Amino acid sequence: MRLRPRPPAPSGVRRLARRHPGALLALFLCSTGGALAALALPAALGHTVDGLVGGGPVPWAGLLLCAALTLAETGFDAGAAVLTTSTGARLTAHLRTRTTARVLAAEPRRALAVPTGDLTARLTARTADAATAPVTAAGAVAGVLLPLGAIVGLFVIDPWTAAAFLLGAPLLVALLHTFTRRTADAGADYQRAQSVIAHRLTEALDGADTIRAARTGAREYRRILEPLATLADHGRRTWTVYGRAAGQSALLLPLLMLLVLAVGGLRLHTGAIGVGDLVAASRYAALAVGIGSLTGALGALARSRAAARTLDPLLTLDPLPHQGLGPVPGGPGHLELRDVGVVQDGKREGNKDGEPDGKPLLTGVRLTVPGGTSLAVVGRSGSGKSVFAAVVGRLLDPDTGTVLLDGVPLTAMDPALLRPEIAYAFARPALPGTTVEDTIAFGPWTAGPAAVREGARAARADGFVGLLPYGYATPLTDAPLSGGERQRLGLARAFAHPGRLLILDDALSGLDTVTEHHVRRALDERAGRSTRVIVAHRLSSAARADQVLWLEDGRVRATGPHEELWVDPEYRAVFRTETDEAEGMAEAEERAGAGADKPLPRARTEEVEAR
């Protein structure tokens, strides 16, 4: 029985602010200290001016106080600037790490429901925008404290002067409210247009070979950049909002300042206030009209809120449920599937017949794979082979049924304990790491140099790695790899992290016959030590396996040794169909000038292997 997933971690400004409370408190104190020093300076300046005008001795104490307040304001402002930058960078790093961890901890089909380009934009630009919210809020204290304190100062000096300022205050508040609302709308639309472009660009990079073969590069170029006009419109709308707010502020604020000075001058003429009071009132009026500087902070908060809304679906992803169990120590890798079913998009709500909605990808799969043996999974394209491979390695949870490894359900195991027991290799492996050695060592644990080289020898990758400029220390950016060489590095990584279960999802498709033969010998040497599940397209893969699983439309058509299934002409037709498809793809690549010896672009395909 599954445990209910733990409640999602809360998101938002307060959750993020708790990460670095000390830095935010220091920023708050610096902003507040700078604002208080700025508010005290007009009063001190006014008092000093009265002393000078009165004709008495030079008020050195007042002059020194004004100098000290000026230095304090400058120092606090400098400290606030440094803390804003450093704290913002740390919060951005934390938010990116937390969001990425949520994505990786969730079931892949849930996490990758967001298009790749959009997901990339959210994990980079959106996290940076959202992380500025606590910093902006802490620094905005000065923006609020200065105008409010200045208005109080005006009332202390002369209520009539303060009343003159308050006559125009409602217009200023309305201006700020309108600016904030329009900025938030424009920012959200701009971010959505960015995501569309990023998604289309990622699609084009993943399908670069297909685009090259079809000679549709110009059309793809236009398709990717089509939303650029919309993006430009939203950008112009954002700047239009800023421009209007700045223009209206440039008109309103000087009028308010002029009104305050006019009333103050009249009060000075009547003797109600002194010269020092007028100087202080003019300074307070300048601070009071500085409420317009809040537009920048309000705009940043609006963008942060819009970005945070796009991160919420990622931060609230449920992690893979488990019961905290681990694999049976020393288990042979006995694999069992009991009535396993998977539907597209994982829709679990029942229809009127009680069955899950959505297209069935696997239905009623029952199978036992003895530990230490090999299983070849065959079938036509779309029969569910890769879905089966994902289910047995828990890259995908079944919607119905149970998968057990050595008698323990996969859904009951802690993923952190399960991952070291399962090694993967894919047709188009992702190659994380800086150097060739890094990418082979990458996995649930960092493989040592000896394991890296042993894995490379088993995958027949040591030969071409030795020809690279710096061998295993060659940066991947300086190592032009063919499709087969990339596959061999992926296989080397799997061999370097041995577990009780080894899953190869079409990981031999790019190898030549001789290399494939040697890799299969390395796989055979693992007999009795690990269970091997091989998604097979070639006849030789099925022929060497201890057992063959023949899938058709997501259902088990037959199981058994290859030689027994070979008597069925429809089984033989599966390999003829796969061979024809492979030959057709090779011819298309050759015509496009992107044969097997040409480097392949980095693709998303099996990014889940990095999990």
Side-chain angles (χ1 to χ4, degrees):
M1 177 180 178
R2 298 186 194 176
L3 289 179
R4 296 180 61 184
R6 57 186 172 88
S11 58
V13 176
R14 281 181 293 181
R15 170 66 173 82
L16 195 59
R18 289 198 294 268
R19 185 65 185 178
H20 294 288
L24 291 173
L25 177 61
L27 175 58
F28 171 80
L29 294 177
C30 284
S31 300
T32 304
L36 292 176
L39 289 172
L41 182 57
L45 186 59
H47 182 74
T48 303
V49 168
D50 281 339
L52 291 171
V53 173
V58 177
W60 291 108
L63 292 173
L64 291 175
L65 178 60
C66 290
L69 290 173
T70 302
L71 290 175
E73 180 184 1
T74 304
F76 280 127
D77 288 346
V82 172
L83 288 169
T84 296
T85 302
S86 59
T87 307
R90 290 198 296 269
L91 289 176
T92 299
H94 166 69
L95 186 57
R96 284 176 179 166
T97 301
R98 186 161 66 97
T99 307
T100 303
R102 274 283 180 169
V103 171
L104 295 178
E107 189 186 31
R109 63 174 164 179
R110 308 280 189 255
L112 300 181
V114 179
T116 310
D118 189 12
L119 181 62
T120 302
R122 296 189 194 191
L123 293 177
T124 53
R126 303 294 178 273
T127 51
D129 288 338
T132 61
V135 176
T136 303
V141 173
V144 175
L145 186 59
L146 280 175
L148 293 182
I151 294 172
V152 173
L154 285 174
F155 267 108
V156 171
I157 293 172
D158 183 56
W160 290 100
T161 306
F165 175 82
L166 293 179
L167 286 176
L171 294 176
L172 189 57
V173 172
L175 172 63
L176 294 177
H177 174 73
T178 303
F179 169 80
T180 304
R181 178 173 52 82
R182 292 180 178 176
T183 299
D185 294 341
D189 292 340
Y190 188 88
Q191 291 171 356
R192 281 191 288 269
Q194 277 184 322
S195 297
V196 172
I197 294 176
H199 173 56
R200 292 185 180 182
L201 178 59
T202 305
E203 283 183 331
L205 292 175
D206 286 349
D209 288 341
T210 303
I211 294 170
R212 189 183 300 113
R215 303 184 185 279
T216 58
R219 187 170 65 189
E220 281 300 304
Y221 180 83
R222 291 191 298 271
R223 186 180 74 90
I224 294 169
L225 296 184
E226 181 185 3
L228 197 59
T230 303
L231 184 69
D233 290 339
H234 295 320
R236 282 191 292 269
R237 182 155 62 98
T238 301
W239 285 112
T240 298
V241 172
Y242 272 103
R244 288 178 178 174
Q248 292 167 356
S249 298
L251 178 63
L252 179 60
L253 300 184
L255 289 177
L256 284 176
M257 185 73 176
L258 182 60
L259 181 60
V260 170
L261 291 177
V263 173
L266 292 174
R267 298 289 288 170
L268 175 63
H269 179 70
T270 61
I273 61 175
V275 176
D277 292 332
L278 181 60
V279 172
S282 66
R283 297 280 298 179
Y284 279 130
L287 294 177
V289 298
I291 195 171
S293 64
L294 279 175
T295 54
L298 292 174
L301 287 173
R303 290 193 300 273
S304 297
R305 291 182 59 187
R309 282 194 292 269
T310 66
L311 295 179
D312 281 343
L314 303 180
L315 291 170
T316 54
L317 283 171
D318 288 330
L320 285 171
H322 62 86
Q323 298 176 9
L325 302 181
V328 175
H334 183 84
L335 195 62
E336 184 178 358
L337 287 82
R338 299 176 181 174
D339 292 321
V340 168
V342 178
V343 296
Q344 195 170 37
D345 300 327
K347 296 178 181 177
R348 298 171 182 270
E349 66 275 11
N351 58 26
K352 63 180 181 180
D353 298 322
E355 296 294 330
D357 292 337
K359 176 185 176 182
L361 303 178
L362 288 179
T363 304
V365 177
R366 299 180 183 179
L367 182 69
T368 298
V369 184
T373 64
S374 59
L375 172 72
V377 185
V378 304
R380 292 184 172 85
S381 296
S383 60
K385 302 186 295 295
S386 292
V387 177
F388 177 88
V391 166
V392 297
R394 210 192 176 188
L395 293 182
L396 185 68
D397 277 347
D399 294 297
T400 58
T402 307
V403 181
L404 299 96
L405 181 62
D406 292 322
V408 182
L410 295 186
T411 53
M413 295 190 203
D414 185 339
L417 301 176
L418 175 64
R419 287 293 171 240
E421 300 294 335
I422 305 176
Y424 306 87
F426 298 93
R428 298 176 65 186
L431 299 179
T434 305
T435 65
V436 172
E437 183 166 1
D438 289 342
T439 196
I440 298 176
F442 184 89
W445 68 92
T446 301
V452 166
R453 283 150 183 79
E454 178 61 31
R457 284 191 290 269
R460 303 295 288 183
D462 56 333
F464 75 83
V465 172
L467 298 176
L468 295 174
Y470 304 103
Y472 286 91
T474 302
L476 287 174
T477 54
D478 297 336
L481 303 175
S482 69
E485 289 168 344
R486 291 178 68 90
Q487 278 195 355
R488 277 183 275 175
L489 288 183
L491 285 165
R493 184 170 58 208
F495 283 129
H497 299 84
R500 68 183 71 187
L501 185 59
L502 175 60
I503 302 173
L504 276 60
D505 187 357
D506 200 22
L508 306 178
S509 58
L511 307 185
D512 60 80
T513 304
V514 175
T515 302
E516 181 189 8
H517 172 73
H518 288 288
V519 172
R520 291 190 184 284
R521 288 182 57 185
L523 289 171
D524 292 341
E525 291 174 0
R526 294 179 174 272
R529 290 184 295 156
S530 66
T531 303
R532 290 137 291 148
V533 176
I534 305 167
V535 174
H537 292 279
R538 293 180 178 177
L539 181 62
S540 55
S541 298
R544 295 180 69 117
D546 297 318
Q547 184 179 184
V548 175
L549 170 65
W550 177 14
L551 292 175
E552 189 172 279
D553 296 329
R555 297 180 180 273
V556 177
R557 175 70 183 267
T559 58
H562 170 74
E563 57 271 16
E564 293 182 6
L565 299 178
W566 187 251
V567 300
D568 190 332
E570 293 189 27
Y571 177 77
R572 297 196 296 272
V574 169
F575 297 97
R576 287 199 298 272
T577 301
E578 296 292 345
T579 301
D580 293 341
E581 291 179 355
E583 290 176 351
M585 291 175 62
E587 291 174 0
E589 289 179 350
E590 185 176 357
R591 287 195 301 269
D597 293 330
K598 297 290 171 63
L600 292 173
R602 293 180 181 269
R604 172 191 185 189
T605 50
E606 283 83 27
E607 289 297 336
V608 290
E609 68 180 301
R611 300 162 64 82

